[in-house]
Amino acid sequence: MPISLYRRRIAATVIQLAKDDPSLVKEVIARLRESGEIEADDLVYLDRIADRWMKIAEDNGRHTASTYPRQARG
């Protein structure tokens, strides 16, 4: 497998993980920064993707809550 294809697959997997579990991705990035394994500006793009998907999840949660109000107990 050519290295460029491998890198694209890894990037796609990481981006999908940022969509599926953005809080995990943000936590791992924060740990890597704290430990000094990556520079402060490394993985900014991935951090932004995780932020975006966290906001989408929050918006979806609010939308769902307002779409299906609780039924009054009688």
Side-chain angles (χ1 to χ4, degrees):
M1 174 182 317
I3 195 76
S4 62
L5 178 59
Y6 176 75
R7 286 183 178 177
R8 279 187 277 166
R9 283 188 180 175
I10 295 296
T13 301
V14 172
I15 288 170
Q16 187 61 48
L17 180 60
K19 291 177 181 179
D20 293 343
D21 196 349
S23 57
L24 173 68
V25 171
K26 291 189 67 62
E27 183 180 322
V28 170
I29 290 171
R31 286 183 187 175
L32 290 171
R33 285 181 179 144
E34 276 183 27
S35 69
E37 291 185 48
I38 62 170
E39 296 295 322
D41 60 343
D42 286 350
L43 303 180
V44 170
Y45 177 69
L46 189 57
D47 208 9
R48 287 182 187 154
I49 291 171
D51 285 337
R52 179 173 176 249
W53 283 97
M54 288 175 81
K55 184 176 180 332
I56 289 169
E58 287 174 10
D59 291 346
N60 286 343
R62 275 190 244 127
H63 178 69
T64 301
S66 65
T67 302
Y68 303 105
R70 293 181 185 172
Q71 293 180 341
R73 293 183 182 183

